[in-house]
Amino acid sequence: MAVLKIVPKLYQEKIPEKLKEEISLVTTGEAKYYNRLYKFFQYTDIQCTADINYETRKMYMDSLEKEDISEKYKAELLSLFDRLKIENMPDVYSQGKPFSVEQEFFKQDKLFLLYVPNKKKAQSFRQVVDKNDLLWDLTRIHSSQLVRQTKILLCEILNMDKVQRHRRYFLEPLKALIRFCDKYGIDDIEEMEQADENRFYLYLNKESEIIKKQASKIVEFARRTLFLTDSETNWRACIWYMDRFQFDKSRINASSPVKSLSFINIYEKENRWYLQLYAKYLVGISDLSLSNIRNTISFISQFLKYLDGQSKKVTELEIQDIEGYVSVLDKSDIKYSTFNRYITHMHTFLQFLKMKNIEVLKFYPERFLKKGFSEHNERSVPEKTIAHLIKELPAFPEHLQLMYLILFCTGIRKSEVCTIKSGAFYSQGNENWMRIYQSKMRREKVIPVPSLLVGLVNDYEKKYGIKNGEYLFKNKKGGAFNGQTFSNQMIRECKVRG
């Protein structure tokens, strides 16, 4: 084995003192290690380990390949080189400071995650067998926007409090997503359409099972992260995430919150942008609830998808296109009231565009609206069924027992029982009340209740340590209990007990 026995004075003179100190920290005085490092660094302009990057490491690997030493010894020397970089890292990024694209490391065109400036996280990458997997060569990406988004997503993943074996479930699929976007000319992940997403899943056929399983999750993660972290709202994004905005409580149904608005199935970009302009108005200026906005967008999206099939832009509409769409609606199995909503939403959308000085067809919705009779939805429950349910109620989970009793005694909506807060039940003299905010009606309501119900609620609050103002019934994250979850649990318990 070829090993330098001494350190020539010439080598030492060409090595900066700081770098000498850093080398001694990891070589522990063993000549077979520090000799080789001294010999390598004399031909570089490296002043200290902070200057070492992926290119430096590659140069060192190339120098080892020229030597007549075993592969095992090469691996040992390369591992030592990585230790030299990692163990001399300053603690500035190890003190809870999150990663940011503004940091020097992320301004590079080649990001080598083994050298990410956080000693603890860099150490976690040492267990990766093939270190080439840790290189993100952004010089191969043609879109500067895609490069910027890649760096943002890498920062978000590195900021996760996860061990390396879990972090790879994000890193490997993300690398595949970036390769796909670059190959097919997708410059902005936020503007990926449904067709792009479907093509991405086909693109992964030859990838590992880990990447295939995480494919849909990484697309969602990328879209959400970019939309929420951009300095300015990207109104052209195909999916808007509502966490970016702050809404008055009257616009939110906490038991079934609208988490996002989607424009992903509209392929004509001009038409999609017109709908996004309308949605921007509905979200930012109107006082509609988010659930109503989502429904409105859904109705108009159906019309725009029809235009996709006709290869028509909204600005090219003719009355024959409206008639064709109405004919399609006529053939569908929908009630007259739903049919009329499709027509009125389409008309309101076109009126909005005219207000924005966008030339579109003017049509009169009255020509197409249908007449009909209002139907009464029979929602009463037979007394026999109620009696059987109350008899079986003690066997139900405790939260379902109390939720049902509140519904039974007050007649409030399912969504409202899910959003009751501690302190809503109270007594005044001989009278007992429940105060609740009705999001659908946008008002507070006070309802008389039996004293026994107030006692049951108070006992429940004490038993589970529910503080005043907290939700009485919580989801796993402490938010309001989900209305659909409540329905599913009640149905399951009822089926079990006949």
Side-chain angles (χ1 to χ4, degrees):
M1 183 179 293
V3 179
L4 296 177
K5 298 299 182 182
I6 60 171
V7 182
K9 188 175 182 180
L10 181 62
Y11 290 0
Q12 296 187 54
E13 290 175 352
K14 291 189 175 183
I15 304 297
E17 287 300 321
K18 182 170 177 57
L19 186 55
K20 289 180 187 177
E21 294 174 7
E22 292 173 328
I23 290 174
S24 66
L25 181 69
V26 296
T27 56
T28 60
E30 293 187 61
K32 68 175 183 177
Y33 294 133
Y34 64 67
N35 279 347
R36 205 168 294 278
L37 290 172
Y38 278 133
K39 182 180 178 181
F40 169 74
F41 283 117
Q42 71 159 327
Y43 298 111
T44 71
D45 58 358
I46 300 296
Q47 299 298 305
C48 63
T49 55
D51 298 332
I52 295 175
N53 56 23
Y54 175 77
E55 294 298 341
T56 318
R57 184 182 193 267
K58 189 174 184 303
M59 288 171 55
Y60 186 62
M61 289 173 61
D62 292 342
S63 71
L64 294 179
E65 289 300 323
K66 297 174 183 177
E67 298 203 32
D68 183 22
I69 56 178
S70 68
E71 291 300 318
K72 181 179 179 182
Y73 189 38
K74 288 178 186 177
E76 189 179 346
L77 291 170
L78 188 58
S79 177
L80 178 71
F81 189 86
D82 293 334
R83 279 185 54 214
L84 173 66
K85 170 68 177 178
I86 295 170
E87 294 189 14
N88 284 288
M89 284 181 179
D91 293 329
V92 61
Y93 296 130
S94 303
Q95 298 170 351
K97 185 177 179 180
F99 291 111
S100 163
V101 292
E102 303 303 322
Q103 293 165 355
E104 285 301 317
F105 176 80
F106 292 98
K107 293 179 181 178
Q108 302 176 87
D109 292 327
K110 293 184 179 181
L111 302 178
F112 188 49
L113 299 189
L114 185 63
Y115 292 170
V116 67
N118 179 300
K119 192 177 295 186
K120 181 179 178 182
K121 292 195 173 172
Q123 289 282 15
S124 72
F125 284 115
R126 293 192 68 195
Q127 62 187 274
V128 176
V129 177
D130 188 352
K131 300 298 189 295
N132 290 323
D133 291 341
L134 300 176
L135 175 65
W136 290 68
D137 187 355
L138 306 183
T139 61
R140 299 180 179 181
I141 299 176
H142 300 96
S143 164
S144 59
Q145 169 75 337
L146 192 57
V147 168
R148 185 187 72 85
Q149 292 183 340
T150 302
K151 291 180 177 182
I152 291 172
L153 294 170
L154 278 175
C155 285
E156 188 70 15
I157 293 172
L158 292 171
N159 285 329
M160 292 177 177
D161 186 21
K162 294 182 180 292
V163 295
Q164 170 53 23
R165 66 177 180 275
H166 292 155
R167 201 181 293 121
R168 66 185 289 238
Y169 295 145
F170 289 86
L171 290 171
E172 292 180 20
L174 176 61
K175 186 173 280 190
L177 176 62
I178 300 303
R179 282 199 306 267
F180 165 80
C181 289
D182 187 55
K183 179 177 181 179
Y184 290 99
I186 299 171
D187 296 335
D188 190 335
I189 294 173
E190 291 188 81
E191 294 186 33
M192 280 182 68
E193 301 170 354
Q194 186 63 62
D196 296 323
E197 191 171 331
N198 294 340
R199 191 195 302 173
F200 174 56
Y201 300 146
L202 293 175
Y203 171 81
L204 297 178
N205 276 342
K206 296 180 181 179
E207 297 288 347
S208 68
E209 287 303 315
I210 289 177
I211 294 178
K212 289 179 185 178
K213 289 179 180 178
Q214 298 295 317
S216 61
K217 292 182 181 178
I218 200 63
V219 174
E220 169 72 9
F221 166 80
R223 281 197 176 113
R224 178 180 171 82
T225 298
L226 294 171
F227 189 79
L228 296 181
T229 57
D230 278 348
S231 57
E232 295 184 4
T233 303
N234 182 4
W235 298 109
R236 289 187 179 271
C238 283
I239 298 181
W240 298 356
Y241 295 90
M242 297 299 98
D243 285 348
R244 183 177 179 93
F245 311 107
Q246 291 184 338
F247 298 102
D248 185 84
K249 70 174 184 178
S250 63
R251 303 182 69 187
I252 301 171
N253 178 0
S255 71
S256 183
V258 174
K259 296 182 179 180
S260 62
L261 299 176
S262 176
F263 311 90
I264 198 171
N265 287 314
I266 303 167
Y267 300 133
E268 172 52 58
K269 292 185 178 181
E270 185 177 312
N271 290 349
R272 184 168 71 223
W273 176 235
Y274 291 148
L275 178 55
Q276 288 169 326
L277 281 177
Y278 187 43
K280 181 180 177 181
Y281 162 76
L282 295 176
V283 168
I285 298 177
S286 82
D287 64 350
L288 287 178
S289 69
L290 294 185
S291 57
N292 280 339
I293 292 174
R294 180 177 58 188
N295 292 339
T296 298
I297 290 173
S298 176
F299 278 111
I300 300 170
S301 293
Q302 291 298 319
F303 171 56
L304 296 184
K305 282 192 281 186
Y306 169 79
L307 294 186
D308 276 340
Q310 305 300 312
S311 300
K312 271 286 183 82
K313 296 180 180 179
V314 171
T315 51
E316 300 170 343
L317 273 179
E318 299 175 351
I319 193 63
Q320 292 85 350
D321 299 309
I322 302 294
E323 291 171 345
Y325 180 60
V326 169
S327 176
V328 171
L329 292 177
D330 266 330
K331 295 174 183 177
S332 58
D333 185 22
I334 56 175
K335 296 180 180 179
Y336 85 93
S337 57
T338 304
F339 177 94
N340 288 346
R341 290 180 71 186
Y342 276 107
I343 302 300
T344 53
H345 279 303
M346 176 175 58
H347 176 255
T348 305
F349 170 57
L350 295 177
Q351 288 294 98
F352 169 82
L353 295 182
K354 289 182 73 69
M355 183 188 71
K356 288 288 186 179
N357 297 318
I358 299 169
E359 286 299 321
V360 292
L361 175 73
K362 181 178 181 180
F363 83 99
Y364 297 92
E366 295 82 6
R367 175 183 167 185
F368 302 100
L369 295 177
K370 291 183 177 181
K371 294 182 179 179
F373 298 97
S374 299
E375 296 180 12
H376 174 70
N377 294 316
E378 182 58 53
R379 294 177 177 174
S380 61
V381 181
E383 290 187 10
K384 185 177 180 181
T385 303
I386 294 175
H388 182 58
L389 179 55
I390 292 176
K391 180 182 177 182
E392 298 290 341
L393 199 59
F396 282 44
E398 191 172 2
H399 68 284
L400 294 183
Q401 294 180 37
L402 189 54
M403 292 174 87
Y404 177 78
L405 289 175
I406 293 173
L407 288 172
F408 181 77
C409 294
T410 62
I412 61 175
R413 298 177 179 85
K414 173 184 68 176
S415 61
E416 292 166 353
V417 75
C418 290
T419 56
I420 293 174
K421 293 187 176 182
S422 177
F425 291 82
Y426 62 96
S427 300
Q428 285 184 337
N430 295 326
E431 298 177 331
N432 300 283
W433 304 91
M434 179 188 75
R435 183 186 300 274
I436 188 170
Y437 180 80
Q438 296 181 302
S439 59
K440 189 169 185 177
M441 307 302 293
R442 300 195 177 190
R443 67 180 183 185
E444 271 197 341
K445 187 174 184 179
V446 178
I447 305 171
V449 294
S451 58
L452 181 60
L453 182 60
V454 175
L456 290 172
V457 171
N458 289 339
D459 291 343
Y460 186 85
E461 291 174 344
K462 291 176 182 177
K463 181 176 180 179
Y464 294 101
I466 302 171
K467 298 177 182 177
N468 193 48
E470 293 182 350
Y471 286 111
L472 188 60
F473 307 106
K474 303 176 184 177
N475 60 28
K476 292 180 179 179
K477 295 182 179 180
F481 203 84
N482 185 271
Q484 189 59 50
T485 302
F486 169 65
S487 296
N488 293 341
Q489 291 181 358
M490 283 296 293
I491 291 171
R492 185 177 64 244
E493 293 296 329
C494 289
K495 285 181 177 180
V496 169
R497 290 164 182 82

